[in-house]
PDB file of all heavy atoms in Angstrom:
ATOM      1  N   SER A  10       1.822   7.441   0.430  1.00  0.00           N
ATOM      2  CA  SER A  10       2.230   8.834   0.635  1.00  0.00           C
ATOM      3  C   SER A  10       3.153   8.892   1.845  1.00  0.00           C
ATOM      4  O   SER A  10       2.912   8.199   2.839  1.00  0.00           O
ATOM      5  CB  SER A  10       1.014   9.732   0.895  1.00  0.00           C
ATOM      6  OG  SER A  10       1.422  11.021   1.330  1.00  0.00           O
ATOM      7  N   ARG A  12       3.840  11.950   3.200  1.00  0.00           N
ATOM      8  CA  ARG A  12       3.503  13.242   3.812  1.00  0.00           C
ATOM      9  C   ARG A  12       3.040  13.074   5.256  1.00  0.00           C
ATOM     10  O   ARG A  12       2.245  12.185   5.551  1.00  0.00           O
ATOM     11  CB  ARG A  12       2.381  13.887   2.981  1.00  0.00           C
ATOM     12  CG  ARG A  12       2.259  15.368   3.095  1.00  0.00           C
ATOM     13  CD  ARG A  12       1.348  15.873   1.979  1.00  0.00           C
ATOM     14  NE  ARG A  12      -0.030  15.441   2.152  1.00  0.00           N
ATOM     15  CZ  ARG A  12      -0.947  16.065   2.876  1.00  0.00           C
ATOM     16  NH1 ARG A  12      -0.611  17.173   3.523  1.00  0.00           N
ATOM     17  NH2 ARG A  12      -2.177  15.621   2.944  1.00  0.00           N
ATOM     18  N   SER A  15      -0.676  13.157   5.757  1.00  0.00           N
ATOM     19  CA  SER A  15      -1.308  12.427   4.651  1.00  0.00           C
ATOM     20  C   SER A  15      -2.708  11.917   4.989  1.00  0.00           C
ATOM     21  O   SER A  15      -2.928  11.252   6.009  1.00  0.00           O
ATOM     22  CB  SER A  15      -0.411  11.242   4.277  1.00  0.00           C
ATOM     23  OG  SER A  15      -1.124  10.301   3.517  1.00  0.00           O
ATOM     24  N   GLU A  81      -3.908   9.504  -5.548  1.00  0.00           N
ATOM     25  CA  GLU A  81      -3.932   9.509  -7.020  1.00  0.00           C
ATOM     26  C   GLU A  81      -3.123  10.714  -7.479  1.00  0.00           C
ATOM     27  O   GLU A  81      -3.411  11.838  -7.073  1.00  0.00           O
ATOM     28  CB  GLU A  81      -5.384   9.638  -7.492  1.00  0.00           C
ATOM     29  CG  GLU A  81      -5.530   9.689  -8.995  1.00  0.00           C
ATOM     30  CD  GLU A  81      -7.011   9.729  -9.383  1.00  0.00           C
ATOM     31  OE1 GLU A  81      -7.660   8.677  -9.369  1.00  0.00           O
ATOM     32  OE2 GLU A  81      -7.520  10.828  -9.663  1.00  0.00           O
ATOM     33  N   ASN A  83      -2.024  12.639 -10.898  1.00  0.00           N
ATOM     34  CA  ASN A  83      -2.247  12.730 -12.347  1.00  0.00           C
ATOM     35  C   ASN A  83      -2.929  11.479 -12.888  1.00  0.00           C
ATOM     36  O   ASN A  83      -2.468  10.843 -13.843  1.00  0.00           O
ATOM     37  CB  ASN A  83      -0.931  13.036 -13.069  1.00  0.00           C
ATOM     38  CG  ASN A  83      -0.422  14.423 -12.709  1.00  0.00           C
ATOM     39  OD1 ASN A  83      -1.195  15.381 -12.686  1.00  0.00           O
ATOM     40  ND2 ASN A  83       0.846  14.541 -12.370  1.00  0.00           N
ATOM     41  N   SER A 125      -8.597  11.233  -1.466  1.00  0.00           N
ATOM     42  CA  SER A 125      -8.238  12.443  -2.204  1.00  0.00           C
ATOM     43  C   SER A 125      -9.217  13.551  -1.830  1.00  0.00           C
ATOM     44  O   SER A 125     -10.396  13.277  -1.590  1.00  0.00           O
ATOM     45  CB  SER A 125      -8.330  12.175  -3.710  1.00  0.00           C
ATOM     46  OG  SER A 125      -8.322  13.395  -4.423  1.00  0.00           O
TER      47      SER A 125
HETATM   48  C1  FMN B   1       1.508  15.854  -8.638  1.00  0.00           C
HETATM   49  C2  FMN B   1       0.129  15.710  -8.074  1.00  0.00           C
HETATM   50  C3  FMN B   1      -0.870  15.190  -8.862  1.00  0.00           C
HETATM   51  C4  FMN B   1      -2.163  15.013  -8.344  1.00  0.00           C
HETATM   52  N1  FMN B   1      -3.110  14.438  -9.117  1.00  0.00           N
HETATM   53  C5  FMN B   1      -4.327  14.164  -8.592  1.00  0.00           C
HETATM   54  C6  FMN B   1      -5.284  13.425  -9.349  1.00  0.00           C
HETATM   55  O1  FMN B   1      -5.063  13.032 -10.468  1.00  0.00           O
HETATM   56  N2  FMN B   1      -6.480  13.147  -8.745  1.00  0.00           N
HETATM   57  C7  FMN B   1      -6.761  13.546  -7.460  1.00  0.00           C
HETATM   58  O2  FMN B   1      -7.864  13.256  -6.987  1.00  0.00           O
HETATM   59  N3  FMN B   1      -5.869  14.257  -6.729  1.00  0.00           N
HETATM   60  C8  FMN B   1      -4.661  14.555  -7.249  1.00  0.00           C
HETATM   61  N4  FMN B   1      -3.723  15.239  -6.509  1.00  0.00           N
HETATM   62  C9  FMN B   1      -4.093  15.684  -5.157  1.00  0.00           C
HETATM   63  C10 FMN B   1      -3.757  14.625  -4.122  1.00  0.00           C
HETATM   64  O3  FMN B   1      -4.740  13.608  -4.186  1.00  0.00           O
HETATM   65  C11 FMN B   1      -3.739  15.222  -2.712  1.00  0.00           C
HETATM   66  O4  FMN B   1      -2.643  16.080  -2.624  1.00  0.00           O
HETATM   67  C12 FMN B   1      -3.701  14.178  -1.636  1.00  0.00           C
HETATM   68  O5  FMN B   1      -4.029  14.792  -0.417  1.00  0.00           O
HETATM   69  C13 FMN B   1      -2.357  13.495  -1.550  1.00  0.00           C
HETATM   70  O6  FMN B   1      -2.433  12.379  -0.705  1.00  0.00           O
HETATM   71  P1  FMN B   1      -1.966  12.432   0.840  1.00  0.00           P
HETATM   72  O7  FMN B   1      -2.890  13.394   1.541  1.00  0.00           O
HETATM   73  O8  FMN B   1      -2.147  11.036   1.306  1.00  0.00           O
HETATM   74  O9  FMN B   1      -0.537  12.886   0.892  1.00  0.00           O
HETATM   75  C14 FMN B   1      -2.438  15.420  -7.012  1.00  0.00           C
HETATM   76  C15 FMN B   1      -1.407  15.964  -6.237  1.00  0.00           C
HETATM   77  C16 FMN B   1      -0.145  16.090  -6.747  1.00  0.00           C
HETATM   78  C17 FMN B   1       0.954  16.634  -5.869  1.00  0.00           C
END
Side-chain angles (χ1 to χ4, degrees):
S10 169
R12 203 167 68 86
S15 163
E81 179 176 281
N83 294 315
S125 165

